[in-house]
Amino acid sequence: MGGMPSRELGGRPSFHDTRDLTPFRGAQVYAPVRGIGRRLAQRVTGRTRAPRLRPFASKVEKQVHAAVFAHAEPERLVVIARAYPSWSGLCYVMAGLQAYRSHHHSQAAELLARGLAGTSEPAAAAFAIQYLGAVRHWIEVSDGVEVEVLFSEEAVCLALAHSLREVGRPDEALAVLAPLPPSMPTALASCHLAEVLGRPHDVVAWTEGLANASDLAAALLVLRARALRELGRRADALAAVREALRRRRTAFAVKNSAATERALLMLGVGRRRRGAASAPSSAFDELRALTQARRARDTAARELWLKDFEDLERGAGE
């Protein structure tokens, strides 16, 4: 089982972010059925007004500015990247983010990877700082969970990881996230990828000590409960589910997933621990005991009703 030491700084868990300022601005948790309307609303409201170019801007600055803010065609930025190799890193990254916004994940993965591997001269870096700092992107970090991220290395890597996951390359996606600093969105994306790769031990290790302080944390707790159930640790899985359901303002979609996980635990679905293959889980024992008690009460009530009915008939006959 492989670990991820780059996200355990000083022994802190992978979700513990100590930075004063982060590029993350919001999160959305949605049910798959309602995802289309939510994406349309975000596309309309998430646009950023184009900042005005400085006087006497260079030709390449004007071209990149127009390609980023006036058009949504990645091909324009690709052409600029080929014409100005010293700007290729920035141009490929922005082209990849435009392709990602249009859900063209194969193209986005290729362009974002080129951008991260490309070069950018100081003028390109200054352009990014001056004009792109307020650009926001909605990026999916797990099924039904998206975060709003300002233009940054984390935005690029999270978008690349999602695109790689969509095209069936989760191992490469997990490697892309490894250098990022600890944060809740990165931890959620990493744990989702670890689940896809069949690594429940990693999910459990990366979520140790997690509390339900936000919707992202609650979604991460659901992944933790699922991994614990897969490992046969049902009591710990139930504890994670209870924590995911504890906060009243937790998103309904996350609560629904947690309730489904609790039902699977109560039914005894999942791997059993070695040496206890024939013994039912404690959760299933509890469910069976409750069912038997309810049936006993129903039987007693029915017998009492029949006795009263017979007494009434006997009294009427006399």
Side-chain angles (χ1 to χ4, degrees):
M1 179 190 66
M4 192 171 294
S6 60
R7 268 200 299 282
E8 294 182 1
L9 306 178
R12 295 194 300 269
S14 61
F15 53 83
H16 189 72
D17 193 347
T18 59
R19 294 174 292 177
D20 294 331
L21 295 174
T22 71
F24 304 108
R25 289 297 177 267
Q28 289 280 350
V29 182
Y30 58 92
V33 176
R34 297 181 294 176
I36 297 177
R38 181 203 48 76
R39 287 196 184 98
L40 180 60
Q42 287 178 356
R43 182 170 296 185
V44 172
T45 59
R47 293 172 179 170
T48 303
R49 178 179 296 181
R52 182 174 299 179
L53 267 173
R54 65 180 179 85
F56 309 109
S58 64
K59 180 179 179 181
V60 62
E61 287 179 318
K62 294 178 181 178
Q63 291 180 356
V64 174
H65 187 275
V68 170
F69 294 105
H71 307 282
E73 302 171 1
E75 292 76 15
R76 289 177 177 267
L77 286 162
V78 172
V79 171
I80 298 173
R82 292 176 178 175
Y84 300 92
S86 59
W87 282 67
S88 62
L90 177 62
C91 290
Y92 279 127
V93 161
M94 295 308 299
L97 290 174
Q98 288 183 350
Y100 177 83
R101 182 176 297 180
S102 301
H103 308 289
H104 299 155
H105 292 292
S106 180
Q107 182 185 23
E110 176 66 25
L111 292 173
L112 290 171
R114 286 189 186 184
L116 289 175
T119 59
S120 294
E121 65 178 32
F127 179 91
I129 294 173
Q130 184 172 359
Y131 299 109
L132 304 180
V135 177
R136 304 185 181 195
H137 302 274
W138 283 96
I139 298 172
E140 181 177 315
V141 293
S142 184
D143 291 339
V145 183
E146 290 187 352
V147 292
E148 188 181 27
V149 195
L150 293 174
F151 178 72
S152 59
E153 181 186 7
E154 286 169 274
V156 175
C157 290
L158 285 170
L160 176 56
H162 177 214
S163 293
L164 289 171
R165 171 165 61 89
E166 290 291 335
V167 298
R169 295 154 62 184
D171 49 347
E172 297 179 39
L174 195 56
V176 167
L177 298 177
L180 297 183
S183 68
M184 194 67 70
T186 302
L188 183 56
S190 301
C191 287
H192 182 67
L193 288 166
E195 182 185 54
V196 171
L197 291 169
R199 293 162 55 178
H201 289 91
D202 285 346
V203 177
V204 173
W206 297 341
T207 56
E208 193 68 38
L210 179 64
N212 183 4
S214 64
D215 287 340
L216 294 181
L220 198 51
L221 282 165
V222 173
L223 292 182
R224 174 178 174 83
R226 197 176 300 160
L228 289 166
R229 174 170 60 83
E230 182 66 21
L231 295 174
R233 297 169 54 181
R234 301 181 185 279
D236 294 335
L238 279 172
V241 168
R242 284 193 294 268
E243 179 62 21
L245 295 170
R246 174 185 57 81
R247 193 170 59 94
R248 292 182 59 186
R249 296 181 65 86
T250 300
F252 174 78
V254 179
K255 285 187 174 181
N256 189 38
S257 298
T260 301
E261 192 61 34
R262 181 175 58 185
L264 293 174
L265 286 165
M266 297 293 284
L267 293 173
V269 177
R271 184 191 305 175
R272 302 190 187 280
R273 284 190 172 183
R274 185 175 300 176
S278 60
S281 65
S282 58
F284 187 74
D285 283 341
E286 181 181 354
L287 178 62
R288 184 169 59 182
L290 291 173
T291 303
Q292 290 175 348
R294 186 180 68 249
R295 288 177 179 174
R297 289 195 302 269
D298 293 343
T299 301
R302 179 177 176 80
E303 290 178 352
L304 182 61
W305 181 83
L306 288 174
K307 183 177 181 300
D308 292 341
F309 185 75
E310 290 174 356
D311 292 342
L312 286 174
E313 284 189 333
R314 191 178 301 111
E318 294 176 354

